[in-house]
Amino acid sequence: MAVNARRCPWWLTWAFFGALVAVFVGERPLGDTGVWRAVFSGAGFGFAVIATAWRAWAWLGSRGDRRRIHGILLAGYAGSVAALVLYFLGSDLIAPEPSRLWSATRAAWPILLACSLLPALAAQWAIGSPRAAVSSDFDEARVEALRVVELAVSALDVAVVASFLFLAVFIAKERDTKWDVSYFKTSAPGSATVNMVSSLDDKLQVLLWFPPVNEVKDEVEGYFTALAAKTGKVEIQLKDRMVDPALAKKYRVSKDGIVTLVKGDQHRNITLDDDIARARAKLRELDGEVQKAFMKIARAARTVYFTVGHGELNDPNARPKGVRDPFSQVRAIRDLMTMLNYRVKDLGLRQGLAQDVPDDAALVMILGPTVPFMDAELDALDRYLAKGGAVFMALEPNTEVQLGPLAHRLGIELNSAPLADDRQFVVKDRSPADRLNIVTDQFSSHASITSLSRARAGSGILLLGAASLDEADWGDAWTAEKPKRTFVVKSLASTFRDENRNYQFDADSEKRAAYNLMAAIEGPKPADDNNSGDGEGDQKDATKRDDQPRRMRAFVVTDVHLLSDGVLAQIQLNGNLVLDALKWVSGDEEWSGEVESEKDVPIQHTKDKDVVWFYTTIAGAPLLVLGAGLLGVRRLRRRRRKQS
């Protein structure tokens, strides 16, 4: 049905829309021009009012479908004019300062304008061309009123949906609310940190240099409050470097976002940030940062020597060509030793290893040698252990490295055949060699693996190619009391020594058994050692250890990749094992325990789990869709049969 052209020309709706565009130009592009703003906005608003009145006059003089169509257009005009009125009420012309009315009108006028203008434009479009509109005075045969109404209602539906989206964005912007759905949690105090702080005689002072109201400060204060509750030896002080510049200068604090740990006249700063977005990464590993700083103030620095010149993992230039591994970096171990307040030095032929181990060596680390040691070097290490030295040794399978006199000193022998498991292993390269990536949860109760002993059932560690250890006789290395030898970690019973390196279990020549993977050896008590105890945990005061007669300690593992950056970064239990073993071999087992971290790590599947996931995704999902389709078709056929 065409609208009466004598009362309302066909172009009135489009002219009305042009008036709204003029208001937009006056308020946006010309909003700061003064005169031109008044001309465009005033003219546009005035014509919109006139067009609305014109449409109202046509609506009053019509009947039937004519009146119905005029009513739709009139509602659109009137709603649009009302939206302009709300806009001006909230503009700087009437409300120069923000207020509740200002916020309400800013949200209301766009919604009202969309819900009014879109149906009016849709109705005008349905009416037809200009010729159809003027050729007849409401020719009901040409335009159906129902079609106009339906199109207007559809446009109103679109406007309502858009309004809901606009309102959601508007509220989020006005409230300045941000939803961060990514995982974030500040690490809690780990058992290692709790043990360290509990061993103190005096309280540990913690100075928090943050603004009074700060999200990072709340997270850090929560961590130290929990630590104080568990130990009773933490004193927390909130500091402002602007209020107390002298104290800030004393502790070298030049910006906010710093935590200062104070013990006596020693202090150490932990630099975070006062912005939560930038501090999130360190807050996830705050427990490790606290341990690192605490170790610096809890005792004097000691020296650890890493052997070099035998293809060790820490000396890549010395490794023979072809001896490469994707997990061949041990930077994390060096950083860990620095965290434990050690000075890291190299020890090889050029540094005098063939003569003797330096007197200041608190610990010697041997990480995966692939070239045999010289006899003189082995003799020097043997003499160092006989005097109560400490050695952490990580060996590899498939090498010609022999322990020599160290075998009798430690009571162990290396079997270099690689261990494999065709039932429980971790898929890494999707090749038969993956069977060397064994897992185990067979741990004994020993101070060197405190975290493993306390791990929940089902927790395990990963070894990427391990050899095994056998018992050896002590020989003449010990004439009186023998050391205490404990195999602290064993493999699963499904593991076998792959003697022919074919990654297959050969029943006629190979045997499944729980093989020894790691050993902790502790020498007898020195004659002038007046400490009491059974030998485990009698060297608890690390600050006095260098002044007391020492007893030999050695920790031996059969997979150097256990200490690689790739493994330590992905499996927290492996990292806890290495940390506990290092503390034990150094005489700091009182400080053993877990380091809490909320850092995300990749998910690793064993072969069995990987097979389940494979068939679930490849076959299970399509079968589920197929089953749902067949069920739907069956119900449809039954319905048609009943109808027929």
Side-chain angles (χ1 to χ4, degrees):
M1 175 177 291
V3 177
N4 193 330
R6 291 179 299 175
R7 293 190 176 183
C8 283
W10 63 269
W11 45 263
L12 184 61
T13 300
W14 307 115
F16 181 85
F17 178 72
L20 298 182
V21 173
V23 174
F24 172 80
V25 172
E27 293 300 309
R28 296 298 182 183
L30 305 177
D32 298 329
T33 59
V35 176
W36 286 108
R37 176 186 182 185
V39 171
F40 275 81
S41 298
F45 181 75
F47 186 84
V49 173
I50 294 173
T52 304
W54 197 342
R55 184 64 68 184
W57 176 66
W59 174 72
L60 291 173
S62 60
R63 296 291 182 272
D65 287 343
R66 301 187 187 98
R67 186 182 181 90
R68 190 177 181 185
I69 295 176
H70 279 306
I72 293 175
L73 296 173
L74 177 60
Y77 288 15
S80 300
V81 171
L84 291 179
V85 172
L86 289 177
Y87 167 77
F88 287 121
L89 288 176
S91 68
D92 57 353
L93 297 176
I94 299 177
E97 295 294 332
S99 62
R100 290 185 177 180
L101 177 64
W102 179 79
S103 299
T105 55
R106 286 186 64 210
W109 77 262
I111 296 176
L112 182 57
L113 180 63
C115 293
S116 302
L117 184 60
L118 288 181
L121 294 177
Q124 185 63 52
W125 185 269
I127 289 173
S129 65
R131 291 185 179 182
V134 299
S135 62
S136 173
D137 185 11
F138 292 98
D139 186 352
E140 296 184 6
R142 292 191 177 174
V143 178
E144 298 178 0
L146 181 61
R147 180 162 59 91
V148 176
V149 174
E150 289 294 334
L151 193 57
V153 171
S154 299
L156 180 61
D157 291 340
V158 174
V160 169
V161 172
S163 299
F164 274 113
L165 296 176
F166 164 78
L167 192 60
V169 174
F170 178 84
I171 293 175
K173 181 178 179 181
E174 287 298 306
R175 295 296 182 181
D176 194 22
T177 301
K178 179 175 66 175
W179 292 284
D180 188 349
V181 296
S182 64
Y183 176 77
F184 168 71
K185 180 183 177 183
T186 300
S187 62
S191 56
T193 308
V194 173
N195 293 337
M196 290 178 181
V197 177
S198 298
S199 66
L200 295 177
D201 295 329
D202 300 322
K203 285 191 173 183
L204 175 69
Q205 288 186 321
V206 179
L207 311 182
L208 306 182
W209 302 90
F210 290 92
V213 179
N214 185 265
E215 194 173 353
V216 181
K217 182 205 73 173
D218 296 339
E219 296 287 340
V220 176
E221 188 176 7
Y223 171 90
F224 284 105
T225 300
L227 183 60
K230 292 180 178 180
T231 63
K233 294 186 177 181
V234 177
E235 180 182 322
I236 305 172
Q237 300 179 23
L238 303 180
K239 295 295 182 180
D240 190 329
R241 61 189 179 89
M242 299 300 182
V243 176
D244 200 344
L247 189 65
K249 182 179 181 180
K250 175 182 177 181
Y251 292 120
R252 299 181 181 179
V253 176
S254 58
K255 62 178 182 178
D256 291 331
I258 292 178
V259 178
T260 303
L261 304 185
V262 182
K263 176 182 176 291
D265 58 352
Q266 300 291 323
H267 76 276
R268 197 76 180 180
N269 289 336
I270 303 173
T271 302
L272 301 173
D273 203 290
D274 58 353
D275 181 78
I276 188 65
R278 293 191 294 266
R280 286 164 67 97
K282 282 196 173 182
L283 288 176
R284 286 190 177 102
E285 301 183 85
L286 180 59
D287 190 48
E289 295 292 329
V290 171
Q291 283 197 37
K292 188 186 302 183
F294 180 84
M295 296 292 288
K296 300 291 184 181
I297 63 176
R299 67 177 184 198
R302 296 185 288 185
T303 304
V304 56
Y305 285 92
F306 285 75
T307 62
V308 293
H310 314 89
E312 291 90 346
L313 210 61
N314 53 285
D315 186 19
N317 294 327
R319 297 177 71 89
K321 292 183 179 181
V323 183
R324 300 293 180 185
D325 192 277
F327 286 70
S328 61
Q329 301 294 325
V330 288
R331 288 191 294 264
I333 287 296
R334 286 183 171 267
D335 293 341
L336 179 60
M337 300 312 297
T338 301
M339 184 196 83
L340 296 175
N341 204 20
Y342 279 95
R343 293 183 293 266
V344 178
K345 296 183 179 181
D346 289 337
L347 179 60
L349 192 63
R350 194 178 66 176
Q351 291 81 16
L353 178 57
Q355 286 75 44
D356 249 325
V357 174
D359 293 336
D360 65 340
L363 175 63
V364 175
M365 297 195 68
I366 305 172
L367 303 184
T370 56
V371 176
F373 282 78
M374 296 174 57
D375 291 341
E377 293 175 319
L378 292 174
D379 291 339
L381 290 171
D382 183 56
R383 291 192 298 271
Y384 169 71
L385 287 171
K387 293 186 295 183
V391 170
F392 188 103
M393 187 182 305
L395 304 175
E396 283 194 277
N398 301 320
T399 66
E400 298 180 358
V401 174
Q402 300 294 326
L403 298 181
L406 301 184
H408 300 299
R409 180 66 60 186
L410 303 177
I412 58 172
E413 193 68 65
L414 175 69
N415 187 311
S416 63
L419 296 181
D421 193 333
D422 53 359
R423 298 175 182 175
Q424 294 287 335
F425 61 91
V426 173
V427 175
K428 186 169 173 284
D429 301 320
R430 298 190 178 278
S431 68
D434 285 340
R435 295 173 182 177
L436 300 179
N437 305 328
I438 63 175
V439 294
T440 184
D441 59 358
Q442 303 301 301
F443 316 131
S444 67
S445 179
H446 192 270
S448 62
I449 56 168
T450 302
S451 298
L452 299 189
S453 304
R454 298 174 180 173
R456 66 180 184 275
S459 299
I461 60 172
L462 170 66
L463 296 98
L464 301 178
S468 56
L469 298 173
D470 294 323
E471 292 185 358
D473 64 83
W474 302 104
D476 298 330
W478 303 95
T479 57
E481 184 181 355
K482 300 294 189 293
K484 184 177 181 179
R485 174 187 54 205
T486 307
F487 293 107
V488 294
V489 179
K490 294 178 179 289
S491 68
L492 298 178
S494 56
T495 307
F496 58 92
R497 283 174 174 162
D498 192 16
E499 302 285 356
N500 55 8
R501 279 70 169 174
N502 65 350
Y503 313 119
Q504 301 285 343
F505 175 64
D506 301 314
D508 55 342
S509 58
E510 296 170 350
K511 176 183 178 183
R512 297 187 189 272
Y515 292 97
N516 301 318
L517 298 174
M518 304 180 195
I521 303 99
E522 187 170 34
K525 192 184 306 179
D528 53 351
D529 186 355
N530 297 321
N531 292 334
S532 60
D534 61 354
E536 277 192 28
D538 58 337
Q539 298 167 338
K540 294 183 178 180
D541 191 345
T543 61
K544 298 179 181 178
R545 186 177 187 274
D546 293 336
D547 298 330
Q548 296 176 344
R550 302 191 305 178
R551 57 196 309 175
M552 178 200 77
R553 282 189 176 181
F555 194 87
V556 183
V557 304
T558 57
D559 176 26
V560 70
H561 303 97
L562 178 77
L563 290 83
S564 68
D565 296 346
V567 172
L568 294 181
Q570 295 185 36
I571 305 176
Q572 183 176 354
L573 199 58
N574 277 52
N576 292 338
L577 161 65
V578 173
L579 184 59
D580 285 349
L582 287 172
K583 290 178 179 178
W584 176 82
V585 80
S586 303
D588 301 330
E589 65 273 15
E590 186 187 38
W591 290 358
S592 295
E594 295 183 359
V595 180
E596 293 293 331
S597 174
E598 298 297 334
K599 184 178 179 180
D600 292 335
V601 296
I603 297 175
Q604 295 282 350
H605 293 146
T606 62
K607 179 191 175 184
D608 293 340
K609 291 182 180 179
D610 202 60
V611 168
V612 172
W613 279 107
F614 175 79
Y615 285 113
T616 300
T617 55
I618 299 301
L623 287 175
L624 182 62
V625 175
L626 179 61
L630 292 175
L631 182 61
V633 171
R634 185 177 181 182
R635 289 184 176 180
L636 181 60
R637 289 179 177 177
R638 286 183 177 179
R639 188 179 304 172
R640 289 178 177 177
R641 288 175 184 174
K642 290 181 180 179
Q643 292 177 353
S644 61

